[in-house]
């Protein structure tokens, strides 16, 4: 009984060769798209609105360079922020989804930023406790959490 496919035929070899070439071309196109360098438009950055104004920024838009520290990142994001308030009372009245710019206008610049994908801002309070802001979009805070000296956590956000 003969095989339904004759793998030794020249037509089959040509078709397999064409398929290999198509696969290689697709892989090259995919790899070429992944390796494009990110170019920053410094002219656009220089003319951006003041940091206390709501601006569409994401975690990727403010990602740190290799020489940035958590403290220098927040100075870059909020260069004209008012003096930081070091009391939990400042953070108690914010609704879920508030802009980080509104928090900074009321409570001042955070002490640092950390995270990847999901960003966090932190404030050190006078009593030794901390306040953390969690966000994926700087214009919509997902959580404001207080952590006391014993490690006990409590949400400070109120539902809108």
């Amino acid at each position: 009984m003969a095989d339904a496919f004759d793998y030794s035929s020249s037509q089959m070899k040509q078709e397999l060769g064409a398929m290999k070439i198509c696969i290689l071309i697709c892989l090259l196109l995919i790899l070429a798209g992944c390796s494009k360098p990110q170019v920053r438009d410094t002219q656009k950055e220089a003319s951006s609105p003041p940091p206390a104004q709501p601006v569409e920024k994401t975690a990727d838009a403010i990602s740190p360079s290799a020489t940035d520290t958590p403290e220098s990142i927040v100075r870059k994001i909020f260069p004209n922020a008012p003096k930081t308030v070091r009391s939990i009372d400042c953070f108690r009245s914010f609704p879920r989804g508030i802009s980080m710019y509104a928090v900074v206008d009321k409570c001042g610049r955070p002490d640092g930023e950390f995270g990847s994908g999901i960003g966090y801002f932190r404030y050190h309070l006078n009593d030794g406790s901390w306040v953390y802001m969690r966000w994926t979009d700087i214009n919509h805070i997902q959580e404001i959490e207080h952590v006391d000296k014993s490690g006990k956590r409590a949400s400070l956000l109120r539902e809108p």
Side-chain angles (χ1 to χ4, degrees), residues 93-156:
S93 63
F94 295 113
R96 188 171 309 283
I98 186 104
S99 165
M100 188 61 197
Y101 296 102
V103 174
V104 169
D105 284 344
K106 182 178 178 188
C107 300
R109 180 185 301 125
D111 296 306
E113 184 272 342
F114 60 99
S116 176
I118 296 176
Y120 292 87
F121 289 112
R122 70 173 177 264
Y123 289 84
H124 305 254
L125 303 184
N126 286 335
D127 65 0
S129 63
W130 304 73
V131 171
Y132 292 96
M133 315 281 173
R134 184 179 74 227
W135 57 278
T136 53
D137 170 359
I138 199 166
N139 289 316
H140 301 94
I141 297 295
Q142 295 170 321
E143 182 63 72
I144 299 177
E145 186 175 60
H146 178 249
V147 181
D148 68 16
K149 290 188 281 189
S150 71
K152 182 179 175 188
R153 298 172 175 268
S155 177
L156 298 177

